């Protein structure tokens, strides 16, 4: 099996397939993703989310903000299972979604845990991390604000944020309050989308 042109092991493929089946089942009663995208689950959500790990394939400690249906947090945790190292802290305040995430991690034997708390309270509970991810959560300025406690605490901590076609406007807005280094990774799934890699964060105002 290949995702975004990269070979995926049989074990990881089986974990991803089991996760997809779980999501389809739970999505009948919980709004985990937009219903209109369930028919294109592999491309729109799984392949798209896998890009974060493919950009940063290291056995580090991740914090995934607003994990929702598990994208990209559970996908990263599944890839880390193959490395047998690293961990993903999934932050999701909705208790029904958190229950789904715990089930998904347990049944796929993925390397992660769920924190059913507000993002603003997560740093105090989780502590330091090496990488942060978020997808379909907030604009870039909001994501940086959420991520600042970790990124200012750890010099090497990096943020990886999925963004759509309007990302340039979001970058300009965020630079009004923050100084940061930025890498733009073109999406292999969505033509006009990117994954923004943010590092060396410093508050301006």
């Amino acid at each position: 099996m290949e995702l975004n042109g990269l070979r995926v092991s049989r074990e990881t493929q089986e974990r991803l397939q089991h996760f997809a089946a779980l999501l389809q089942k739970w999505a009948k009663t919980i709004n985990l993703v937009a219903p209109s995208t369930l028919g294109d689950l592999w491309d729109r959500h799984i392949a798209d989310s896998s890009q974060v790990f493919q950009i940063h394939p290291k056995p580090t400690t991740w914090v995934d903000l607003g994990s929702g249906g598990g994208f990209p947090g559970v996908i990263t945790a599944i890839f880390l299972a193959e490395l047998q190292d690293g961990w993903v802290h999934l932050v999701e305040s909705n208790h029904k979604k958190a229950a789904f995430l715990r089930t998904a991690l347990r049944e796929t034997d993925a390397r992660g845990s769920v924190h059913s708390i507000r993002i603003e309270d997560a740093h105090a509970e989780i502590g330091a991390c090496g990488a942060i991810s978020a997808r379909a959560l907030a604009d870039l300025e909001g994501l940086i604000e959420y991520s600042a406690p970790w990124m200012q605490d750890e010099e090497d901590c990096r943020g990886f944020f999925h963004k759509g076609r309007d990302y340039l406007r979001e970058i300009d807005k965020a630079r009004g309050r923050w100084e940061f280094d930025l890498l733009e990774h073109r999406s292999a799934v969505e033509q006009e989308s990117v994954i923004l890699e943010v590092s060396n964060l410093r508050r301006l105002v």
Side-chain angles (χ1 to χ4, degrees), residues 140 144 151 170-172 174-182 197-202:
L140 182 61
I144 288 175
M151 295 186 72
E170 293 191 28
I171 292 171
D172 288 342
R175 289 203 186 277
R177 294 188 59 197
W178 299 93
E179 184 178 344
F180 50 88
D181 293 341
L182 184 69
E197 179 178 344
V198 177
S199 59
N200 295 322
L201 183 65
R202 297 168 293 280

Side-chain angles (χ1 to χ4, degrees), residues 2-31:
E2 288 189 356
L3 276 177
N4 309 320
L6 294 178
R7 190 71 185 164
V8 174
S9 72
R10 180 178 59 82
E11 292 81 2
T12 296
Q13 178 182 347
E14 290 173 353
R15 288 185 171 107
L16 292 171
Q17 289 172 335
H18 187 67
F19 170 71
L22 277 174
L23 189 140
Q24 294 275 8
K25 177 182 177 181
W26 281 65
K28 295 175 182 177
T29 55
I30 302 175
N31 184 26

